[in-house]
Amino acid sequence: MKLLSLLIEILIILGVIIKNIEAEKHSKKQKERNVTTQVSVNELKQFLSHILERRKLIKVIYQRENALGKKKIQRKLRIKGIQNKDISKRNTNHLRKQPKQNFTDEGDQLFKMGIKILQQSKSQKQKAQAYVFFAKAADMGNMKAMEKMADALLFGNFGMQNITAAIQLYESLAKEGSYKAQNALGFLSSYGIGMEYNQAKALIYYTFGSAGGSMMSQMILGYRYLSGINVLQNCEVALNHYKKVADYIADKLEKSEGIPVEKVRLTERPENLSSNSEILDWDIYQYYKFLAERGDVQIQVSLGQLHLIGRKGLDQDYYKALYYFLKAAKAGSANAMAFIGKMYLEGNAAAPQNNATAFKYFSMAASKGNAIGLHGLGLLYFYGKGVPVNYAEALKYFQKAAEKGWPNAQFQLGFMYYSGSGVWKDYKLAFKYFYLASQSGQPLAIYYLAEMYATGTGVLRSCRTAVELYKGVCELGHWAEKFLTAYFAYKDGDIDSSLVQYALLAEMGYEVAQSNSAFILESKKAKILEKEKMYPMALLLWNRAAIQGNAFARVKIGDYHYYGYGTKKDYQTAATHYSIAADKYHSAQAMFNLAYMYEHGLGIAKDIHLARRLYDMAAQTSPDAHIPVFFALMKLETMHLLQDILFFNQFTMRWKWMKLDNTLGPYWDLFVIGLIVAVLVFLLRNRYG
């Protein structure tokens, strides 16, 4: 017992010393305003190592306590004869509850402070400070804080990625019943990142995670049963999983509109990601601000919208949104008036909820025939906000806005007919308006369409259609925000952090994330996977993206089989995938590749005429293919001419093309193209020289 007491005393002293050091650091930070984010990161790393060491030490202490406790109980049993099981339970429960009670309240407070800072923060420095609070709360045994820190270690928040440490925390949390940890361990097992590649184990982790309430695990299982990934394909099981997540998302959407997340495709602009239209470049943003200040009303409204919901990589800022809307409204913009009404209807820090003000601005916009303003008035009458509930008035305004093509108004009309609010239930009309709104991407309209297909309400029941629609709703969850953080990590050169985030989204069934993950793996710049695993994993992800309709991914699968990347060389399979991409998606690259294979008889019967036709089709499909097709046809026609006129009619059987593969190598055709180019350049220089 002396050894145990000594260990506990040492632990207490260490804790006091660490807290004093932390207090001194905190006071210094309050005095110094120019503290960088790197300082916070270093502090986080110190806390993380301390947490892991502390958890190991506590584990050792508990083991010693249990051993010593058992010996003491056995001595008492000999004297008093009390039942062994009851006493051991009381003793161990008392020992375990005592330290937890001391830290729980303070840990909860620190965690809440961290969440508050994270929600209000705009800069990376402020977010890093929130994680300092999480680290302190985690040090006190707060499970939610530990989950936050484990996620930070896994995804590399603030450059502190440590997969091994993340796994240690997740495994510890999983034993305590954390469904988030179960989901994370399933994800890591499915890719073999820091753990053994084991799909069966991943499926078990996902099952436990979904049973515990993980929406991510539900979504992953839904995608796996939909696609038949390591499970038997089962639409009904997939429907069950996706519906649970879609119900959760729809509930969030009904309270506040979902924020659309920009999904940048790395395959489209690998050489210049900063120019991607999905993300607003900082210089362009500054130029827009300049135009807005000069009085450009359209730009003012656009900037207001971007700041209102935080799009194009900009932070959500209600004050800036209101500022730009007010400037545009003064200039007579009906859209700006309607958006101001919307802000006051929903309520936020810049525009506190006020039905009267909302009614005023909606009326101003509606008087100008603005669809958003008409829809806003319809909402006020439908829900009775500032005015008595009046379904007839609501229906009138919704119809006017819907006629102008506003998708939210189309959805509201559909909902009125679906629920029978102020009108007779009419599922056919409900379906009509839901469908119209869904064509513009209105998420709740998509959800209710899924509901109708899932239950066969007003339409013929279709499990597959319902699942696809539910999947679209599920992909609007808050986890989709990782698309932005993954993109910025990639842009900043943090490849491992970007890959982990994209890979998780890919596991959840996002097609863009699947192609982005495969693209990163193909580059072999990541360090979290062994080199020999990258091509096979990339091929797997390209295949999943291709199944979901990605034409570029389909061509990539053909390339992998053609060159033998991550699989054996198989010209026949390569030709099959090129054919699918050419016929179904009209891919110029696939047409060109297929033409080359027909020209040389690789995996398919040699057919010069079909090769020539496919080359022509590639040039017609894409302007970028004109030059490659020109040289390919020049080479084809030259070789064909040589074959017919010069040598090949007489000596083909004996000469067999002079065994060009042996004499000039496997890429002799490129040599011929180069020769043709040289001849053309020589002729042009002589002509104009």
Side-chain angles (χ1 to χ4, degrees), residues 75-268:
R75 285 199 297 271
K76 287 183 178 180
L77 283 171
R78 293 192 190 102
I79 299 167
K80 298 181 180 179
I82 302 174
Q83 289 182 355
N84 186 21
K85 288 184 179 179
D86 293 338
I87 290 181
S88 64
K89 282 182 181 177
R90 283 201 297 271
N91 275 277
T92 51
N93 286 339
H94 175 70
L95 287 167
R96 289 178 182 177
K97 286 179 181 177
Q98 195 170 3
K100 286 184 180 179
Q101 288 172 354
N102 296 333
F103 293 105
T104 300
D105 293 339
E106 190 176 352
D108 287 345
Q109 288 177 357
L110 287 167
F111 176 74
K112 288 175 182 177
M113 287 172 67
I115 290 293
K116 187 176 180 181
I117 292 170
L118 198 62
Q119 289 174 344
Q120 296 176 353
S121 64
K122 294 179 182 178
S123 68
Q124 289 293 97
K125 178 183 169 182
Q126 290 173 326
K127 289 178 181 178
Q129 190 61 39
Y131 275 89
V132 172
F133 282 102
F134 292 147
K136 291 178 181 178
D139 189 31
M140 294 178 178
N142 185 285
M143 185 182 288
K144 290 181 179 179
M146 287 181 195
E147 290 172 345
K148 283 282 185 185
M149 296 312 298
D151 287 345
L153 286 167
L154 176 61
F155 298 119
N157 297 353
F158 314 108
M160 58 178 183
Q161 190 174 41
N162 188 328
I163 304 292
T164 305
I167 290 170
Q168 288 177 11
L169 269 177
Y170 282 133
E171 286 177 340
S172 177
L173 287 164
K175 289 174 184 176
E176 295 175 26
S178 168
Y179 62 80
K180 289 184 179 179
Q182 297 278 5
N183 181 74
L185 290 171
F187 158 65
L188 293 168
S189 297
S190 69
Y191 281 88
I193 299 174
M195 299 178 71
E196 181 189 1
Y197 176 80
N198 192 325
Q199 289 292 341
K201 204 171 183 180
L203 188 62
I204 292 169
Y205 278 126
Y206 289 143
T207 304
F208 278 114
S210 64
S214 170
M215 291 293 109
M216 284 187 173
S217 290
Q218 291 279 10
M219 195 166 164
I220 290 168
L221 287 174
Y223 177 65
R224 288 195 165 215
Y225 278 102
L226 174 65
S227 306
I229 300 172
N230 298 108
V231 292
L232 289 173
Q233 197 169 14
N234 191 319
C235 184
E236 294 299 334
V237 176
L239 179 70
N240 182 47
H241 285 296
Y242 271 124
K243 178 171 169 50
K244 289 177 182 176
V245 185
D247 289 345
Y248 168 80
I249 300 298
D251 183 59
K252 297 284 184 185
L253 291 170
E254 284 175 352
K255 293 174 183 175
S256 60
E257 284 188 17
I259 298 172
V261 177
E262 284 71 29
K263 300 172 185 175
V264 179
R265 288 189 184 274
L266 301 182
T267 54
E268 290 180 359

Side-chain angles (χ1 to χ4, degrees), residues 284-294 299 303 324:
I284 297 173
Y285 173 64
Q286 293 299 322
Y287 177 63
Y288 284 164
K289 280 177 67 177
F290 170 75
L291 292 177
E293 294 300 327
R294 291 286 298 271
I299 295 293
L303 284 177
Y324 286 118

Side-chain angles (χ1 to χ4, degrees), residues 252-323:
K252 297 284 184 185
L253 291 170
E254 284 175 352
K255 293 174 183 175
S256 60
E257 284 188 17
I259 298 172
V261 177
E262 284 71 29
K263 300 172 185 175
V264 179
R265 288 189 184 274
L266 301 182
T267 54
E268 290 180 359
R269 300 173 189 261
E271 72 287 344
N272 189 15
L273 286 172
S274 62
S275 67
N276 200 298
S277 60
E278 295 292 337
I279 304 296
L280 190 64
D281 189 78
W282 182 250
D283 293 334
I284 297 173
Y285 173 64
Q286 293 299 322
Y287 177 63
Y288 284 164
K289 280 177 67 177
F290 170 75
L291 292 177
E293 294 300 327
R294 291 286 298 271
D296 191 316
V297 176
Q298 190 175 351
I299 295 293
Q300 288 169 352
V301 175
S302 297
L303 284 177
Q305 286 180 270
L306 291 175
H307 282 297
L308 179 62
I309 56 178
R311 289 197 65 185
K312 299 285 184 183
L314 296 179
D315 290 325
Q316 190 176 45
D317 192 322
Y318 293 121
Y319 290 98
K320 286 183 180 178
L322 185 61
Y323 169 76

Side-chain angles (χ1 to χ4, degrees), residues 414-420 424-435 448-449 452 455-459:
F415 182 75
M416 289 185 78
Y417 285 111
Y418 181 82
S419 60
W424 292 104
K425 279 187 180 182
D426 190 328
Y427 292 126
K428 286 185 178 179
L429 276 176
F431 180 84
K432 171 191 169 182
Y433 286 114
F434 285 151
Y435 180 78
Y448 278 101
L449 275 180
M452 295 181 81
T455 56
T457 305
V459 291

Side-chain angles (χ1 to χ4, degrees), residues 526-552:
K527 298 175 183 177
I528 55 174
L529 272 180
E530 294 85 351
K531 296 285 185 184
E532 60 272 12
K533 290 182 180 178
M534 289 191 183
Y535 273 138
M537 186 60 70
L539 178 59
L540 178 72
L541 290 165
W542 284 129
N543 190 58
R544 291 181 184 178
I547 290 169
Q548 296 199 70
N550 187 320
F552 183 83

Side-chain angles (χ1 to χ4, degrees), residues 620-653:
Q620 292 169 7
T621 304
S622 172
D624 294 336
H626 284 165
I627 294 174
V629 165
F630 171 75
F631 287 122
L633 285 172
M634 283 289 291
K635 188 263 297 183
L636 186 149
E637 296 299 343
T638 302
M639 297 307 298
H640 192 59
L641 181 67
L642 289 171
Q643 183 181 12
D644 286 346
I645 299 174
L646 300 177
F647 310 104
F648 297 98
N649 276 346
Q650 298 175 15
F651 305 108
T652 298
M653 296 304 294

Side-chain angles (χ1 to χ4, degrees), residues 497-641:
S497 172
S498 178
L499 176 59
V500 171
Q501 294 179 75
Y502 277 133
L504 176 60
L505 293 168
E507 188 76 352
M508 296 170 73
Y510 288 89
E511 177 270 309
V512 175
Q514 289 166 350
S515 60
N516 285 356
S517 300
F519 178 79
I520 293 172
L521 286 167
E522 186 181 90
S523 69
K524 291 196 172 182
K525 293 178 182 178
K527 298 175 183 177
I528 55 174
L529 272 180
E530 294 85 351
K531 296 285 185 184
E532 60 272 12
K533 290 182 180 178
M534 289 191 183
Y535 273 138
M537 186 60 70
L539 178 59
L540 178 72
L541 290 165
W542 284 129
N543 190 58
R544 291 181 184 178
I547 290 169
Q548 296 199 70
N550 187 320
F552 183 83
R554 183 65 69 183
V555 175
K556 276 290 182 182
I557 298 169
D559 292 343
Y560 274 52
H561 283 95
Y562 184 89
Y563 294 107
Y565 294 155
T567 184
K568 291 180 180 179
K569 276 189 178 182
D570 188 339
Y571 291 138
Q572 192 171 357
T573 304
T576 301
H577 286 288
Y578 289 146
S579 295
I580 294 169
D583 296 339
K584 191 173 181 180
Y585 305 110
H586 307 290
S587 166
Q589 183 66 61
M591 292 172 187
F592 186 92
N593 293 354
L594 197 59
Y596 183 86
M597 295 185 80
Y598 272 113
E599 180 185 348
H600 296 279
L602 299 172
I604 45 182
K606 189 173 180 179
D607 191 329
I608 298 297
H609 300 292
L610 188 55
R612 190 182 289 111
R613 181 186 170 197
L614 283 165
Y615 279 135
D616 289 336
M617 286 173 65
Q620 292 169 7
T621 304
S622 172
D624 294 336
H626 284 165
I627 294 174
V629 165
F630 171 75
F631 287 122
L633 285 172
M634 283 289 291
K635 188 263 297 183
L636 186 149
E637 296 299 343
T638 302
M639 297 307 298
H640 192 59
L641 181 67

